[in-house]
Amino acid sequence: FGSTLFSFLTGISDLFRSGYESACKNFNPADVEVNVAGRSFLVTGANSGIGKATAKEIARRGGTVHLVCRNKERAEVAKGEIVTETGNQNIFLHIVDISNPKEIWKFAEKFKNEHKLNVLVNNAGCMVNNRELTEDGLEKNFATNTLGTYILTTALLPLLEKEGDARVITVSSGGMLVQKLNISDLQSGNGTFDGTMVYAQNKRQQVVLTEQWAKAHRNIHFSVMHPGWADTPAVRSSMPDFYQKMKNTLRTEAQGADTVVWLAISSEATKLPSGLFFQDRQPVPTHLPLASTHSPPEDEEKLMELLEDFSQKFKSTAPG
């Protein structure tokens, strides 16, 4: 675990539970006291952590929730829990591996024919600490965090375009602040592989994607957010040292999900411009002061082109 990143993470104290507790004093509870019955939400990585907490809060408010998960057994348990706790029966389960582009295309084509969609929450992610390739020969972090997010969003945009007040929220991470967009090595094949930094690079890419989509699709509200450091299964498994040192200061899953829920359902969120990065219901800068993490616009456009090329490669092989 890179020591620079560790000191950086622990230095941002407002990302811990105390930061949430102080920020939430300024929240307006009415923002999220809304009934979203009749609106359809899709949440990826919804069987645990922030994804599950988000799905549960939306279900509580009457929304139709589509859970997209990789593991069928865990997903069934999560679905059962959400239905039981909220009394909402409109919870649907889809088993999709977000690191598998062909599977995402296939799922999206089917979904478009059967459902409507008002809000997409891109929450699925992974931090694999050693360089691992998927069956398609893609580096696993990139395949899940960047390409998977790109394909699912792109494939569902036509469905979102049909609805009023459509939104796309992507769960990123403050770790992205230490990375400048690097389009020359998307699959981290060069140099020493550092899973934490690869993850941070993917999270920077998600911020760029959100900004680019916001420019291109004016009638959908795009946002990207940092949940703060929450006590989730993902943090426990992929950052064990960080977890051990910090576990007593971490946010709960519900606190981590609060801004996702706010961005997904409140009318206040869409009064702010599309394409912003949020933390605790506030837009925050995407670069640290004096950091050399800004990239030229042509690199950001090039990222979109590269991802489009990747995604089309896998589309042609998908049925339909």
Side-chain angles (χ1 to χ4, degrees):
F1 189 173
S3 58
T4 41
L5 187 60
F6 187 81
S7 53
F8 161 75
L9 298 182
T10 47
I12 309 188
S13 57
D14 56 354
L15 300 180
F16 293 92
R17 192 189 316 143
S18 55
Y20 176 83
E21 286 163 355
S22 112
C24 74
K25 294 183 180 121
N26 303 312
F27 293 172
N28 179 358
D31 286 2
V32 292
E33 284 165 10
V34 287
N35 181 337
V36 288
R39 280 175 70 76
S40 168
F41 299 78
L42 189 155
V43 183
T44 65
N47 65 301
S48 70
I50 291 183
K52 185 168 84 172
T54 299
K56 203 177 278 183
E57 290 305 320
I58 292 168
R60 268 199 189 109
R61 292 161 175 79
T64 296
V65 188
H66 295 274
L67 313 174
V68 171
C69 309
R70 193 182 54 201
N71 180 301
K72 193 173 193 310
E73 290 69 39
R74 288 206 293 262
E76 295 282 4
V77 172
K79 178 188 167 180
E81 189 186 309
I82 292 168
V83 171
T84 307
E85 280 191 36
T86 65
N88 185 337
Q89 299 295 321
N90 294 320
I91 311 296
F92 301 93
L93 193 51
H94 310 273
I95 304 303
V96 186
D97 182 348
I98 297 292
S99 73
N100 183 323
K102 298 186 202 85
E103 225 176 273
I104 302 172
W105 276 120
K106 207 158 83 179
F107 159 72
E109 291 308 315
K110 187 172 186 297
F111 189 88
K112 278 193 290 201
N113 294 328
E114 296 171 3
H115 305 281
K116 68 169 205 162
L117 184 62
N118 299 91
V119 180
L120 167 62
V121 178
N122 289 311
N123 163 71
C126 70
M127 188 197 289
V128 181
N129 288 314
N130 297 306
R131 193 167 188 274
E132 245 176 70
L133 300 183
T134 67
E135 60 183 51
D136 297 303
L138 297 166
E139 190 275 317
K140 190 106 185 248
N141 294 294
F142 166 76
T144 309
N145 302 326
T146 302
L147 186 60
T149 298
Y150 177 85
I151 293 178
L152 184 63
T153 307
T154 307
L156 293 175
L157 283 173
L159 202 53
L160 289 157
E161 297 271 9
K162 292 180 188 168
E163 301 297 330
D165 189 16
R167 310 181 188 192
V168 176
I169 299 114
T170 301
V171 178
S172 178
S173 162
M176 68 92 194
L177 290 165
V178 301
Q179 285 282 318
K180 177 182 177 173
L181 178 68
N182 173 12
I183 52 171
S184 66
D185 186 22
L186 288 179
Q187 308 224 43
S188 314
N190 306 334
T192 317
F193 186 89
D194 178 337
T196 317
M197 285 305 182
V198 171
Y199 176 80
Q201 172 65 216
N202 295 162
K203 295 294 163 177
R204 167 65 69 192
Q205 290 160 358
Q206 290 177 340
V207 169
V208 172
L209 285 178
T210 300
E211 292 168 350
Q212 294 294 316
W213 282 326
K215 283 182 205 160
H217 305 275
R218 299 285 183 180
N219 52 344
I220 298 174
H221 191 269
F222 291 88
S223 55
V224 58
M225 59 78 68
H226 181 27
W229 302 113
D231 187 345
T232 63
V235 167
R236 290 196 285 272
S237 65
S238 57
M239 301 164 75
D241 301 349
F242 176 75
Y243 177 73
Q244 280 310 319
K245 288 195 178 98
M246 296 292 159
K247 60 184 175 192
N248 299 326
T249 64
L250 298 178
R251 296 176 176 210
T252 64
E253 293 173 345
Q255 290 171 342
D258 174 81
T259 296
V260 188
V261 175
W262 182 82
L263 287 165
I265 68 174
S266 83
S267 58
E268 290 306 302
T270 50
K271 290 178 186 168
L272 292 159
S274 181
L276 298 178
F277 182 65
F278 286 83
Q279 180 192 312
D280 290 334
R281 303 192 189 182
Q282 290 289 329
V284 291
T286 55
H287 299 277
L288 292 169
L290 310 178
S292 52
T293 50
H294 296 265
S295 46
E298 51 271 27
D299 277 12
E300 303 188 348
E301 285 154 25
K302 183 69 178 163
L303 174 69
M304 301 308 272
E305 285 167 30
L306 292 167
L307 292 176
E308 186 55 28
D309 292 347
F310 265 116
S311 73
Q312 290 304 323
K313 224 183 283 178
F314 294 105
K315 188 180 186 181
S316 53
T317 56

